[in-house]
């Protein structure tokens, strides 16, 4: 349908029915009913679209700056489950057109002639260009065109929120034109000291939009929900639901300007194009309906305002404001002589308070207050970015009760480099308008008065009765209730409510929670309980929901529950003692929700938080780089100050409320560094990683040996309330099947935890079933340590691979925890186990050995009376590994794994985001694992990698196994030598490492990766490789993202994705690209360096005759490189090089690079001279042995491609009989074959350095003959004659001891095409 609009509106003429319809409307709504009602959860859908939303924002950011390129995202879900909506994008119109606080109605009817006079000229999709006056100054008298009420299609709704004190904010923005310069003022910690809310949603006091895409799930017939009484203490709803996917296309070009040509139709074209841009990137994917388990932990908690002076602390400012409020409340009591039914007159009436705002300051003359609500703010600093939708998933599926909301305007602040999200789970509704059968009902509620929940049922009941008996809390609620009834009476006076009894309150249906009047009930949440009253009225037939909603917004907000009894006086007090002295509430306590022609629902944004994610550190005015946290969560909480309040009491109440939002964040695993014994530290880390990987259901069978695991799981349930569950099951056999049932139902593994002995054997039936039916399952068995095995120790059986490998996907026997085994192994084992259980769909068995003390007791080791038997554990040594800082601060998994049949597409988007965010990215190439290893595939992959490096702007560290990749321009020549330089190795500090293939041979590159991950928590190490099922390929435990995919296919998709983002997302060169220049300069000098060094070695060698010279290993590799670079591609097409382990492969890593290409003939040499460089370099690096080297090299040449083998003398001795494969008398050669031309063209280069030279680099070498080094390590080979061995097999033999003689001999051998 959208494409049809594009087609029809792109022409200058036409009179179709569609065009005639579009000519007379401004908004088009297209709806689609979704059949899978139960399966489609709007939050799960929105959560799964995060990477798509990021891509859309990048695409929109390439639009001209004059256009509004923001992409807002809003989510709402009422507590009763009646309406849940996820919306993306906004119509390209003035947001004020939808703001309920603008004008007398949401949609004012504007005179068409005035529109034409004011607008003047139309500019594409944005519509209005004439709203600016002379010299670009905005003309305040020109208002954006408001939409008529009838323009909103049936079913369409506007979504948004308004600030708590919107008028004050708008007035402040008008009076403070230096807004942009103020935004750059920070404290020493990088916090904006002016206003955390500045710029959030623009400079307006509210943010209301007509969304572009809307996914809505709602009750089909609310009359079926009559059993759900809003006056009950529990939320809940039943009934038939429907799911609707809709798009709203708004043409912001007024149809009245059709006289200018086809501008209105072009407006439809542009609006449809923008809608398609958004819609085409979205998918039907859904995230699992489970709480997020990877939220970052809180690093620090602060109430500092960043301001100097007495109000530098939010807490102190709160205490001062409460003290002042109590003075004024006391004054009120003295003035009224205890008569609370008739408060003193307000300083202005309600209409004046909203339309003619008086901004109060020191001139505040109100000396009396009956009630005022004051708030506190606490900043939580996190070590990693926090996604607000992750937090919302945690709240929704983790058991939090209330109305959920999420607002992200999508307006990244480029100057400050941050983005913000506003989230919450509020128990308070401002008002709701809905159908109930044939009636339209408006409801509101007074929620005030608070107590915490009790730890036991009896304590909970006592706190409830204490709350209902509290005069202070009842007074708070009554004040709010009276205020709401006044607002409803005004609706009645306007004729919008049917006449009824004077009372609007609803009797509570919950006998247990009623007060003596029957009006009040207690709303019981997870952490808190509140007194509540519900009020309702029935709309008259002539009432318009838009008018009703606007009236209620203006008359109910702010209610005494969030402001005070006399709104004007309370607002003035809040502005003076809170906003100016401490912080601006922003959208906290403001209205948030939706308004439509058929219904409306507005919540009060309490129990909320503002999330600020910082993209970079910033440079202050003194040019100093200031570090700041990755993200900050500002949490707000307020308390009503009335007669009977105390500073301590209100501080306690706000602390409890602050704890609601902060409770969703897990504790920091940094506490592992103060763990008392190794069992505690290991088990805590192990269980934490399982939880982060999505294992949240544990079935624990009681026992002694599994005590450390059980204690760690219990602690996890306490710190992850509502997320992690642990169930005690006495029977292991039943526990196994119970875990199987959970895993089968939820599609993710549950964990069974048992003690040692026969308890393990009872799991066999469930393991067999899990394997046979492909159900993921995690079997964790505790075991006795090695010293208790096979010696008759009690309750000790052989648990190693106790379940047949036929049924278990992976088994791991884990050694007893100690600081000798780093925490990275525990985290990697847990991560790999869950990954394999999911990927291979079956059971994984982890057998964990535990020594005493099993209980978390320090001191003497239980049942061990030997001298010195006390617990010893060095926690800092246990955690001093690469990646621990990142893991402990980020809240993310130890490693992200992507597999071809599951989520490689996700990996492309995720890796692209990492690249776009990086500044110091680098590519590392190891063994690329070519599937065919032929010339065409190798050449193609080399080109793909080189092109990707060019697009990404990153240099390449190419290991010798990457072969022909070393001839490409993005490769840093002789990088290993550069990395040995202290200045370079210390200053490298990459923040993104893309590793293509493994393993890596270079120890310098491995050190670089380890140091980067160790010292920068933001460094990402991505490994891309075709992995076999159980492979980890992470020996140093530094990989953060593991992608199992063909390297070429992955890079082509990744390149296409990055290029599809548009010019705005074009990659900037990595800050590490200067290494290319250094490498090329070194490449120019390397021949002379090798020559001079070899000459020096020769001069220092004493064991030689005067006519002898020694050929050094660097000279050998340099000569090979020269010859391969010189020979034409026709003679060496598909050539390969095989390097033996030990010294040859290391020599190749350091010295085997193409010869230098001059600047004048770069292109020619790239296409010709270097094409002879080997397309493939092979090494037996799986187990890195030196046996079978010659035979393996012959096998590489069995395809009759020119092959060169470089091996040491000891390696050659291990496989001399393999040379027989090169002889001419092989029986496999038939008479039809010409023997001389059918022999393998292998040139074997034996580097005879007199024995095992590599062992001279070991620490044992310095002990010399004290340990018999020469005999047992050096393995001398001086008595061996390789010439005689060659003669024995009838093979040509040449001896070379100089650079020139070797180069000529090697060149001649390659051109001969014969084995030599």
């Amino acid at each position: 349908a959208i494409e049809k609009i594009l087609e029809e509106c792109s022409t200058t003429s036409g009179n179709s029915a569609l065009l005639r319809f579009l000519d007379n409307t401004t908004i088009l709504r297209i709806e689609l009913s979704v059949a899978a009602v139960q399966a489609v959860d709007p939050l799960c859908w929105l959560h799964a679209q995060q990477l798509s939303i990021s891509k859309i924002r990048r695409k929109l950011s390439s639009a001209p700056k004059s256009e509004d390129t923001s992409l807002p995202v809003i989510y709402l879900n009422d507590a009763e489950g009646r309406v849940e909506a996820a919306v993306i994008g906004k119509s390209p119109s003035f947001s004020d057109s939808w703001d309920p606080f603008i004008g007398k109605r949401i949609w004012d009817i504007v005179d068409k002639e005035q529109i034409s006079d004011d607008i003047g000229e139309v500019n594409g999709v944005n519509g209005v260009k004439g709203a600016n006056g002379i010299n670009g100054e905005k003309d305040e008298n020109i208002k954006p065109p408001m939409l008529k009420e009838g323009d909103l299609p049936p079913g369409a709704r506007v979504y948004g929120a308004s600030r708590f004190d919107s008028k004050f904010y708008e007035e402040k923005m008008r009076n403070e034109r230096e807004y942009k310069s103020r935004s750059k003022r920070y404290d020493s910690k990088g916090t904006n000291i002016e206003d955390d809310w500045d710029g959030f949603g623009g400079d307006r006091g509210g943010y209301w939009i007509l969304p572009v895409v809307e996914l809505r799930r709602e009750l089909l017939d609310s009359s079926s929900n009559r059993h759900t009484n809003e006056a009950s203490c529990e939320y809940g709803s039943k009934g038939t639901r429907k799911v609707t996917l809709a798009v709203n296309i708004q043409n912001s070009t007024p149809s009245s300007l059709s006289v200018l040509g086809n501008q209105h139709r072009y407006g439809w074209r542009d609006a449809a194009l923008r809608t398609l841009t958004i819609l085409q990137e979205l998918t039907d994917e859904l995230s699992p309906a489970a709480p997020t388990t990877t939220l970052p932990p809180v690093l620090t908690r602060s109430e500092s305002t960043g301001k100097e002076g007495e109000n530098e602390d939010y807490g102190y400012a709160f205490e001062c404001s409460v003290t002042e409020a109590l003075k004024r409340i006391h004054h009120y009591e003295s003035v009224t002589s205890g008569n609370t039914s008739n408060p003193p007159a307000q300083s202005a009436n309600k209409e004046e308070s909203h339309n003619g705002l008086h901004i109060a300051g020191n001139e505040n003359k109100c000396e009396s207050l009956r009630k005022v609500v004051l708030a506190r703010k606490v900043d939580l600093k996190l070590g990693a970015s926090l996604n607000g939708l992750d937090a919302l998933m945690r709240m929704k599926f983790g058991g939090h009760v209330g109305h959920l909301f999420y607002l992200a305007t999508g307006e990244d602040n480029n100057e400050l480099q941050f983005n913000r999200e506003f989230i919450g789970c509020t128990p308070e509704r401002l008002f709701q308008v809905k159908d109930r059968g044939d009636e339209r009902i408006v409801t509101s509620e007074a929620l005030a008065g608070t107590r915490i929940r009790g730890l036991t049922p009896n304590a909970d009941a006592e706190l409830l009765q204490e709350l209902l008996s509290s005069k202070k809390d009842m007074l708070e609620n009554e004040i709010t209730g009276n205020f709401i009834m006044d607002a409803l009476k005004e609706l009645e006076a306007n004729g919008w409510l049917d006449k009824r009894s004077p009372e609007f309150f609803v009797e509570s249906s919950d006998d247990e929670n009623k007060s003596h009047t029957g009006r009040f009930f207690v709303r019981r949440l997870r952490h808190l309980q509140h007194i509540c009253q519900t009020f309702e009225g029935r709309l008259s037939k002539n009432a318009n929901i838009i008018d009703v909603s606007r009236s209620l917004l203006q008359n109910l907000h702010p209610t005494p529950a969030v402001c005070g009894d006399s709104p004007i006086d309370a607002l003035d007090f809040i502005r003076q003692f809170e906003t100016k002295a401490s912080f601006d509430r922003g959208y906290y306590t403001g209205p948030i929700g939706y308004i439509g022609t058929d219904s409306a629902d507005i919540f009060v944004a309490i129990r909320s938080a503002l999330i600020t994610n910082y993209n970079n550190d910033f440079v202050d005015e003194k040019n100093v780089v200031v570090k700041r946290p990755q993200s900050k969560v500002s949490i707000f909480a307020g308390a009503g100050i009335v007669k009977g309040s105390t500073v301590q009491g209100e501080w306690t109440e706000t602390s409890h409320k602050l704890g609601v939002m902060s409770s969703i964040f897990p504790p920091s695993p940094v506490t592992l560094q103060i763990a008392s014994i190794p069992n505690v530290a290991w088990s805590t880390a192990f269980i934490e990683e399982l939880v982060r990987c999505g294992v949240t259901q544990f079935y624990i069978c009681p026992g002694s040996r599994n005590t450390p695991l059980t204690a760690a799981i219990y602690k996890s349930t306490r710190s992850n309330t509502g997320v992690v569950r642990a169930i005690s099951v006495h029977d292991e056999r039943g526990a196994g099947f119970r875990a199987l049932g959970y895993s089968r139902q939820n599609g993710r593994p549950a964990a069974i935890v048992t003690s040692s002995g026969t308890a393990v054997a009872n799991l066999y039936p469930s393991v067999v079933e899990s394997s046979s039916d492909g159900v993921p399952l995690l079997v964790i068995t505790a075991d006795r340590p090695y010293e208790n095995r096979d010696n008759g120790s009690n309750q000790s059986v052989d648990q190693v691979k106790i379940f047949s490998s036929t049924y278990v996907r992976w088994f791991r026997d884990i050694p007893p925890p100690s600081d000798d085994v780093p925490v990275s192994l525990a985290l990697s084992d847990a991560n790999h186990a869950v990954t394999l259980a999911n990927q291979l769909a079956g059971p994984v068995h982890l057998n964990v050995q535990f020594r005493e003390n099993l209980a978390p007791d320090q001191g003497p080791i239980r049942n061990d009376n030997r001298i010195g038997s006390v617990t010893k554990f060095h926690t800092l040594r246990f955690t001093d590994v690469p990646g621990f800082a990142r893991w402990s601060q980020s809240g993310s998994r130890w490693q992200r794994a992507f597999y071809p049949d599951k989520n490689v597409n996700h990996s492309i988007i995720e890796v692209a985001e990492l690249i776009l965010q990086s500044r110091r990215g680098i590519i590392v190439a190891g063994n690329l694992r070519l599937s065919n290893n032929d010339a065409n595939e190798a050449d193609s992959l080399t080109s793909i990698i080189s092109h990707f490096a060019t697009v990404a702007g990153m240099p390449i560290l190419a290991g010798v196994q990457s072969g022909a990749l070393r001839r490409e321009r993005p490769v840093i020549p002789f990088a290993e030598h550069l990395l040995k330089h202290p200045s370079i190795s210390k200053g490298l500090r990459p923040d993104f490492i893309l590793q293509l293939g493994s393993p890596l041979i270079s120890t310098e590159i491995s050190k670089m990766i380890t140091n980067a991950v160790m010292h920068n928590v933001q460094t990402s190490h991505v490994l891309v490789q075709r992995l076999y099922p159980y492979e980890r390929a992470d020996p140093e435990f530094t990989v953060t993202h593991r992608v199992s995919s063909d390297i070429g296919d992955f890079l082509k998709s990744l390149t296409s994705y990055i290029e599809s983002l548009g010019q705005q997302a074009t990659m900037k060169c990595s800050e590490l690209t200067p290494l290319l220049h250094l490498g090329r300069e070194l490449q120019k000098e390397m021949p002379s360096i090798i020559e001079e060094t070899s000459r020096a070695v020769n001069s220092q060698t004493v064991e030689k005759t005067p006519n002898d010279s020694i050929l050094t290993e660097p000279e050998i590799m340099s000569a090979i490189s020269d010859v391969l670079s010189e020979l034409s591609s026709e003679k060496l097409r598909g050539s390969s090089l095989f390097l033996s382990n030990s010294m040859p492969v290391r020599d190749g890593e350091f010295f085997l690079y193409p010869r230098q290409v001059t600047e004048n003939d770069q292109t020619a040499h790239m296409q010709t001279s270097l094409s002879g460089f080997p397309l493939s370099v092979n090494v037996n690096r799986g187990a890195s042995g030196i046996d079978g080297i010659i035979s393996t090299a012959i096998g590489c040449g069995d395809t009759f491609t020119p092959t060169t083998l470089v091996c040491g003398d000891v390696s050659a001795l291990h496989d001399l009989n393999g040379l027989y494969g090169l002889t001419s008398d092989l029986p496999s050669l038939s008479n039809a074959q010409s023997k001389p031309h059918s022999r393998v063209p292998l040139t074997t280069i034996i580097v005879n350095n007199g024995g095992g030279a590599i062992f001279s680099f070991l620490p044992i070498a310095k002990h010399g003959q004290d340990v018999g080094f020469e005999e047992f390590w050096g393995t001398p080979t001086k008595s061996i004659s390789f010439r005689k061995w060659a003669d024995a097999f009838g093979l040509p033999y040449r001896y070379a001891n100089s650079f020139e003689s070797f180069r000529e001999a090697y060149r001649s051998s390659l051109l001969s095409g014969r084995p030599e």
Side-chain angles (χ1 to χ4, degrees), residues 303-317:
E303 291 197 49
S304 172
T305 64
K307 301 179 181 180
E308 297 181 357
E310 61 178 8
N311 289 328
E312 62 183 8
D313 183 86
Y314 293 128
Y316 178 76

Side-chain angles (χ1 to χ4, degrees), residues 626-816:
V626 179
K627 294 284 185 181
R628 57 184 174 188
Q630 285 295 301
S631 59
K632 180 182 70 173
V633 181
S634 299
I635 299 178
F636 308 89
I641 316 301
V642 295
K643 179 183 178 181
S645 295
T646 64
V647 174
Q648 181 62 45
E650 305 313 318
W651 180 272
T652 301
E653 179 177 331
T654 54
S655 296
H656 289 316
K657 292 176 178 177
L658 289 169
V660 173
M661 185 61 67
S662 61
S663 69
I664 70 173
F665 298 100
S668 174
V670 172
T671 55
L672 288 176
Q673 296 178 338
I674 59 172
S676 57
I677 59 175
N679 287 340
V680 171
W682 187 93
S683 299
T684 301
F686 182 78
I687 296 302
E688 172 66 18
E689 179 60 19
L690 290 182
V691 170
R692 292 187 186 188
C693 291
V695 179
T696 57
Q697 190 82 356
F698 295 87
Y699 295 92
I700 302 174
C701 300
S704 174
R705 189 59 53 174
N706 58 342
T707 294
L709 290 169
T710 303
I713 294 170
Y714 176 73
K715 289 181 179 179
S716 182
T717 62
R718 296 293 300 273
S719 59
N720 295 278
T721 303
V723 177
V724 177
R725 294 184 63 207
I727 299 174
S728 178
V729 185
H730 74 282
D731 170 46
E732 286 80 8
R733 184 176 180 278
F737 280 105
R738 190 165 176 180
L740 176 69
Y742 177 90
S743 302
R744 187 189 296 278
Q745 174 66 27
N746 293 277
R748 59 181 185 274
I752 318 158
V753 180
T754 75
S755 185
S756 60
T758 58
V760 180
N762 281 279
L763 299 176
Y764 219 128
S766 56
V767 169
V768 172
E769 177 63 23
S770 168
S771 175
S772 302
D773 210 17
V775 180
L777 193 66
L778 208 59
V779 178
I780 306 173
T781 58
D783 198 357
R784 291 177 176 262
Y786 174 82
E787 59 268 22
N788 293 139
R789 293 178 175 178
D790 299 327
N791 58 11
S793 294
N794 184 44
Q795 202 174 341
S796 178
V797 300
D798 186 3
Q799 297 177 200
V800 176
K801 296 189 177 181
I802 189 172
F803 308 117
S804 169
S805 58
T806 303
Y807 302 114
V808 174
R809 302 294 190 264
W810 185 60
F811 169 80
R812 180 76 161 170
D813 191 24
I814 299 175

Side-chain angles (χ1 to χ4, degrees), residues 34 36-49 75-77 84-86 215-217 243 284-290 393 396-397 404:
V34 180
V37 174
Q38 299 302 323
V40 178
D41 183 292
L43 180 57
C44 292
W45 175 77
L46 189 62
H47 186 265
Q49 306 308 307
Y75 170 81
L76 298 171
N77 182 21
E84 183 179 7
L215 182 67
R216 186 193 305 169
R217 183 169 69 172
V243 177
D284 60 356
E285 197 166 354
L286 298 171
S287 293
M393 291 282 286
K396 177 176 180 178
F397 298 108
L404 290 168

Side-chain angles (χ1 to χ4, degrees), residues 106-137:
I106 294 182
W107 300 278
D108 285 345
I109 301 176
V110 182
D111 183 70
K112 291 184 179 181
E113 295 182 1
Q114 183 63 35
I115 292 178
S116 300
D117 293 340
D118 287 345
I119 291 178
E121 185 179 350
V122 175
N123 181 23
V125 73
N126 284 330
V128 181
K129 188 177 180 181
N132 290 335
I134 301 175
N135 298 325
E137 294 294 331

